[in-house]
């Protein structure tokens, strides 16, 4: 039986007199006991059937990847809640349009458009991502419990396709939002007293474990897009397209639906470009996979925002309670369409640049001093 000991110096894993690991000084998640274990010369046993390990691993992995996507959301959310409270409290400078609170010595930093940009980006991401995580959980339930086989298959296809996006895009953005919320604190974000640096450190791991986001992007583009002759991506285009067509009949929703339609068009063009170019040169796929995953994340959250705006619009028309809440949803949906969706076009152009300039240099050139 291996014996794992923690020494005074933090070393761990003394076995048969030999140290086989050391406590890892991680940059974040310090509440989690992770350490490096080296199994040099150790004997392995086959568990289960030969050549069936990867499939078995993916049963665990798929659930874990959705869980890590939620971690991206959670770190962004807690950082956002702290940043909102700070921005309401901290006073510095004056509003560009003239003092907002002339009787005070300075205005709260909330009045500065650049602070608002960071907070609105965070609000639009966290609420959109929360909707996507809940939608994903519903698809998992439907794969087991939907009434018809057709519905079960559709849910299975969609959640299989979107799992790398929820994990990869959700945690890339989760980290970005956490650092932007740290930025809202200025210098106070960098020092330890306010706790913001911890959110940034903790958010970082989610981009790495359960398969790096580079590997998530390759799973999406190299496996999921082509599966069953592209059935999953076609099903995705159809459900998003149906909601866009439906929303075009409403005056408030139509401009949002049209903006989303354009972004969806960018994704469809990027998909077509892969189909036409990646077979002849697989490096084109590898060079564009990260961009494709982000295009799909942008479009998917745009779809969630269109759906939320539709519900909010119906609630406002019905004239019930929570008017401010639903108006906030419509305003944030508009912001998302204005400020997130245009990135899909720029990412598509990067993707269509292919792999030539990216792969052009010999490896030796990277080590050469400029
Ligand atoms: C704190 C922490 C906790 C962890 N917990 C666990 C755990 O509980 N259980 C467990 O099994 N593992 C765990 N891991 C391991 C973790 O899942 C792996 O570190 C992670 O999946 C990346 O694998 P790697 O380290 O081998 O990176 P590598 O595979 O060496 O990747 C290095 C770089 O190359 C890129 N890369 C590699 N292959 C490709 C490819 N084919 N295409 C494109 N890019 C590629 C990666 O994206 C990355 O940027 C943990 C890691 C950490 C840091």
């Amino acid at each position: 039986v291996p014996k794992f000991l923690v020494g005074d110096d933090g070393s761990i894993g003394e076995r048969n007199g030999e140290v086989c690991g050391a406590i890892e000084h991680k940059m974040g998640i310090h509440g989690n006991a992770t350490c490096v274990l080296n199994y040099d010369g150790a004997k392995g046993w086959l568990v289960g059937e030969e050549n069936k390990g990867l499939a078995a691993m993916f049963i665990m992995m798929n659930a874990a990847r959705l869980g890590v996507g939620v971690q991206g959301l959670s770190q962004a959310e807690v950082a956002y809640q702290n940043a909102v409270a700070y921005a309401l409290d901290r006073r510095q400078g004056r509003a560009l349009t003239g003092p907002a609170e002339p009787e005070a010595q300075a205005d709260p930093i909330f009045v500065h458009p650049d602070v608002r940009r960071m907070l609105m980006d965070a609000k639009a991401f966290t609420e959109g991502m929360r909707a996507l995580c809940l939608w994903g959980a519903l698809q998992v339930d439907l794969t087991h419990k939907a009434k018809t086989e057709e519905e079960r298959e559709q849910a299975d296809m969609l959640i299989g396709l979107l799992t790398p996006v929820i994990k990869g895009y959700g945690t890339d953005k989760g980290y970005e939002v956490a650092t932007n919320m740290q930025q809202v604190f200025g210098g106070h974000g960098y020092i330890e007293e306010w706790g913001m640096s911890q959110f940034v450190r903790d958010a970082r791991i989610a981009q790495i474990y359960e398969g790096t986001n580079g590997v998530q992007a390759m799973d999406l583009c190299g496996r999921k897009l082509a599966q069953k002759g592209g059935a999953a991506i076609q099903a995705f285009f159809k459900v998003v397209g149906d909601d866009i067509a439906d929303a075009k009949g409403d005056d408030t929703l139509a401009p949002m639906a049209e903006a989303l339609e354009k972004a969806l068009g960018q994704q469809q063009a990027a998909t077509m470009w892969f189909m036409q170019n990646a077979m002849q040169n697989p490096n084109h796929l590898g060079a564009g996979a990260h961009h494709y995953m982000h295009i799909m994340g942008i479009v998917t959250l745009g779809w969630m925002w269109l759906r939320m705006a539709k519900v909010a619009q119906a609630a406002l028309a019905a004239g019930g309670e929570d008017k401010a809440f639903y108006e906030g949803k419509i305003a944030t949906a508009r912001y998302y369409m204005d400020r997130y969706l245009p990135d899909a076009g720029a990412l598509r152009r990067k993707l269509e640049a292919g792999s030539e300039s990216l792969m052009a240099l010999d490896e030796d050139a990277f080590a050469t001093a400029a």
Side-chain angles (χ1 to χ4, degrees):
V1 178
K3 240 180 21 176
F4 297 107
L5 304 173
V6 182
D8 295 341
D9 60 351
S11 64
I12 189 173
E14 197 174 299
R15 188 177 55 193
N16 303 332
E18 285 178 26
V19 172
C20 61
I23 284 185
E24 186 188 4
H25 294 283
K26 303 190 300 287
M27 70 177 280
I29 57 168
H30 291 163
N32 175 290
T34 302
C35 71
V36 176
L37 294 178
N38 295 319
Y39 290 100
D40 296 338
K43 182 175 175 181
W45 282 268
L46 178 69
V47 180
E49 271 182 71
E50 212 169 322
N51 293 327
K52 295 279 192 290
L54 202 63
M57 183 274 292
F58 264 111
I59 293 172
M60 179 278 293
M61 270 302 268
N62 283 335
R65 286 196 286 174
L66 294 173
V68 174
V70 174
Q71 286 176 18
L73 164 64
S74 315
Q75 297 298 345
E77 176 73 40
V78 69
Y80 166 71
Q81 288 181 17
N82 279 270
V84 169
Y86 188 81
L88 288 168
D89 185 52
R90 168 75 170 161
R91 289 174 184 275
Q92 192 64 265
R94 288 295 188 189
L96 292 172
T97 49
E101 295 182 24
E103 68 289 352
Q105 285 189 330
D107 287 337
I109 58 170
F110 224 104
V111 301
H112 302 309
D114 192 56
V115 173
R116 292 285 294 233
R117 170 188 66 78
M118 292 187 276
L119 294 172
M120 281 303 293
D121 269 4
K123 182 171 166 60
F125 168 71
T126 50
E127 291 179 29
M129 185 67 194
R130 201 184 314 149
L132 178 58
C133 289
L134 289 168
W135 174 90
L138 176 65
Q139 302 313 302
V140 173
D141 286 351
L142 288 172
T143 61
H144 300 293
K145 301 281 183 192
K147 289 207 175 76
T148 66
E149 181 58 27
E150 197 186 356
E151 284 174 283
R152 287 195 289 275
E153 263 179 36
Q154 163 100 349
D156 193 45
M157 262 194 313
L158 288 176
I159 193 60
L161 179 72
L162 265 307
T163 293
V165 178
I166 290 173
K167 196 282 185 185
Y169 181 73
T171 61
D172 276 355
K173 286 295 297 180
Y175 178 72
E176 187 188 313
V177 166
T179 60
N180 283 340
M181 296 305 93
Q182 182 186 38
Q183 189 77 10
V184 169
F185 279 68
H188 283 151
Y190 196 79
I191 58 177
E192 293 299 319
E193 278 90 329
W194 294 83
M196 296 305 284
S197 48
Q198 185 190 329
F199 300 141
V200 174
R201 287 195 304 272
D202 287 355
R204 190 65 182 85
I205 185 59
Q207 295 171 285
I208 295 175
Y209 63 12
E210 302 303 346
T212 61
N213 287 357
V215 168
Q216 302 298 322
M218 286 306 290
D219 176 46
L220 173 66
C221 299
R223 293 177 65 234
K224 300 290 172 60
L225 287 186
Q227 253 172 15
K228 295 186 187 165
I233 193 68
Q234 291 308 330
F236 174 79
F237 289 153
K238 179 160 182 354
V239 288
V240 179
D242 286 351
D243 280 346
I244 289 171
D246 184 44
K248 278 186 177 175
D250 179 284
D251 285 349
T252 304
L253 301 178
M256 301 187 210
E258 280 156 19
L260 181 59
E261 190 171 39
K262 275 194 200 135
L264 184 66
Q266 304 286 7
Q267 189 188 345
Q268 286 164 329
T271 313
M272 188 61 76
W273 193 90
F274 270 161
M275 281 169 65
Q276 289 167 347
N277 295 281
M279 289 291 266
Q280 81 197 42
N281 183 355
N283 274 345
H284 287 333
L285 190 93
H290 168 85
H291 304 314
Y292 190 92
M293 183 175 74
H294 276 244
I295 295 172
M296 191 157 182
I298 289 166
V299 168
T300 309
L301 259 60
W303 176 39
M304 290 297 125
W305 270 115
L306 187 66
R307 289 168 58 126
M308 286 193 279
K310 186 180 174 188
V311 173
Q313 181 69 359
L316 287 170
E321 291 174 3
D322 296 331
K323 190 163 172 279
F325 172 80
Y326 290 117
E327 284 174 348
K329 288 289 175 193
I330 302 266
T332 312
R334 281 208 186 100
Y335 179 88
Y336 188 91
M337 305 305 174
D338 282 353
R339 295 277 185 148
Y340 271 80
L341 293 184
D343 288 346
L347 289 169
R348 172 195 159 193
R349 283 194 288 282
K350 283 196 201 185
L351 181 150
E352 290 180 357
S355 61
E356 271 91 18
S357 63
L358 191 143
M359 302 299 282
L361 282 180
D362 282 341
E363 283 166 25
D364 292 348
F366 286 83
T368 310

